[in-house]
Amino acid sequence: SIVSHGHGPQIEALLAELAGLGEPRLRRVILTLNLPEPALAARLRGRGWPFRLDVAENPAPAGFGANHNRAFGLDGQDGGSPLFAVLNPDLRLRANPFGIMAAVFERDPHAGAVYPLQLDAAGRPQDSQRLLPTPARLLARHLLRRPAEVGEGQAPDWVNAAFLLLRRGAYAGLHGFDEGFHMYCEDVDLCLRLQLAGWALRPAAGAT
């Protein structure tokens, strides 16, 4: 599931990378245009893809969680894939991360969500793994400029949803993202509820 908010060129670059992946290949990509992009929609529908590409065009903008929940429901109408990925439109991939990430679910029946290493444009690890938000941690992050919260070998309480691969049963059991969060913190909430429900949040070593 990918959502575009006028990200046309980035969407086309990401879809080209997804189309160029080797095995394991994607079964389906659901792209939601949250803002009108008729030229982009026409170009994408006019191309051949190695996966099923569905382009949904919203009549009115919806929130981050609502858009991904609708995509999850749309996939479920056709039986549903066992794994459901949430991707930001500005991602670029280093090789194929999906096989490495899917293998984590095969090894760990408690894994509910798996995430890759995120690097910035300069190749530095991004601040994507964090601990439970508290007033003290928010103060340290924003006023004292101490962004790193998770120490070496420490498990995060949540990770950002720029790229999450989720077990279908876990996502369905949580009823997906809480749509009461329109933008920001829905990934905090999802990760915390996932673990409260007994699922684990796992990194995928080697997926970048």
Side-chain angles (χ1 to χ4, degrees), residues 96-202:
N96 188 341
F98 290 100
I100 296 171
M101 296 174 75
V104 177
F105 291 103
E106 295 174 2
R107 293 193 303 269
D108 186 352
H110 299 293
V114 174
Y115 61 95
L117 173 66
Q118 291 181 32
L119 303 177
D120 64 17
R124 297 167 300 202
Q126 287 197 309
D127 180 30
S128 59
Q129 305 179 66
R130 301 186 186 178
L131 299 178
L132 181 72
T134 65
R137 288 183 182 135
L138 293 172
L139 180 69
R141 169 175 295 276
H142 295 290
L143 295 184
L144 304 180
R145 300 192 181 282
R146 297 175 186 166
E149 298 176 351
V150 180
E152 187 71 27
Q154 184 180 13
D157 292 323
W158 66 280
V159 297
N160 72 30
F163 189 157
L164 283 178
L165 188 60
L166 298 125
R167 192 184 296 273
R168 182 169 197 86
Y171 192 91
L174 298 175
H175 304 290
F177 288 100
D178 182 342
E179 296 180 20
F181 296 91
H182 180 77
M183 193 72 67
Y184 302 117
C185 292
E186 56 274 272
D187 43 9
V188 183
D189 173 77
L190 182 78
C191 290
L192 296 178
R193 286 191 294 117
L194 185 86
Q195 293 168 94
L196 287 171
W199 295 102
L201 183 64
R202 298 291 192 225

